[in-house]
Amino acid sequence: QLRLVESGGGLVQPGGSLRLSCAASGFTLDYYAIGWFRQAPGKEREGVSCIKRSGSTKYADTVKGRFTVSRDNAKNTVYLQMNSLTSEDTAIYNCAAVADRDCDSYTEPLLPYVHDVAYGSVGTLVTVSS
């Protein structure tokens, strides 16, 4: 069974940081790009970031300079380091395993349909509040 599980969310004050993890089981992340997307209450899914097989990264304009995506293939895990968080970052964050050619979709403010091999169906909740 192909699975992705997100973790690392929580409550953080504005200006704070969190590191999210996206761990794979049942398959090897090496062969896929990993995209991060988020959904805030009452809003559509929004692309956040993506990391290709090569390690090349892409970011939405809203997070560029604040978020950093990385991968550790030995641990079969992708990370999203989030700094300088604001209330606008409050959302459920999910990850998905996709083809490299679909990475750019995860920089779009409105995430289009993307064929994925697996995605984390539960997500991890990030709440930025004082």
Side-chain angles (χ1 to χ4, degrees):
Q1 184 179 7
L2 309 183
R3 290 187 64 200
L4 288 174
V5 178
E6 304 92 345
S7 62
L11 174 63
V12 63
Q13 292 187 341
S17 298
L18 283 174
R19 188 178 80 156
L20 306 185
S21 298
C22 171
S25 61
F27 69 108
T28 302
L29 282 182
D30 299 31
Y31 299 113
Y32 302 98
I34 302 298
W36 284 94
F37 61 97
R38 65 188 182 186
Q39 188 166 20
K43 294 188 177 182
E44 300 291 332
R45 288 182 174 182
E46 174 189 9
V48 174
S49 180
C50 185
I51 184 165
K52 294 186 176 182
R53 294 172 59 188
S54 65
S56 174
T57 57
K58 303 272 187 181
Y59 299 95
D61 289 342
T62 52
V63 307
K64 203 171 291 183
R66 300 187 298 122
F67 290 13
T68 302
V69 61
S70 61
R71 63 193 305 156
D72 186 338
N73 289 339
K75 294 184 178 180
N76 221 22
T77 300
V78 167
Y79 303 98
L80 185 67
Q81 177 67 42
M82 307 187 299
N83 299 328
S84 303
L85 287 163
T86 75
S87 59
E88 296 296 309
D89 298 314
T90 295
I92 294 174
Y93 286 71
N94 296 80
C95 59
V98 299
D100 271 0
R101 64 177 179 270
D102 292 322
C103 222
D104 282 349
S105 295
Y106 291 88
T107 65
E108 298 293 333
L110 184 61
L111 183 70
Y113 169 76
V114 181
H115 175 71
D116 56 65
V117 172
Y119 80 98
S121 59
V122 176
T124 187
L125 176 62
V126 172
T127 303
V128 184
S129 175
S130 56

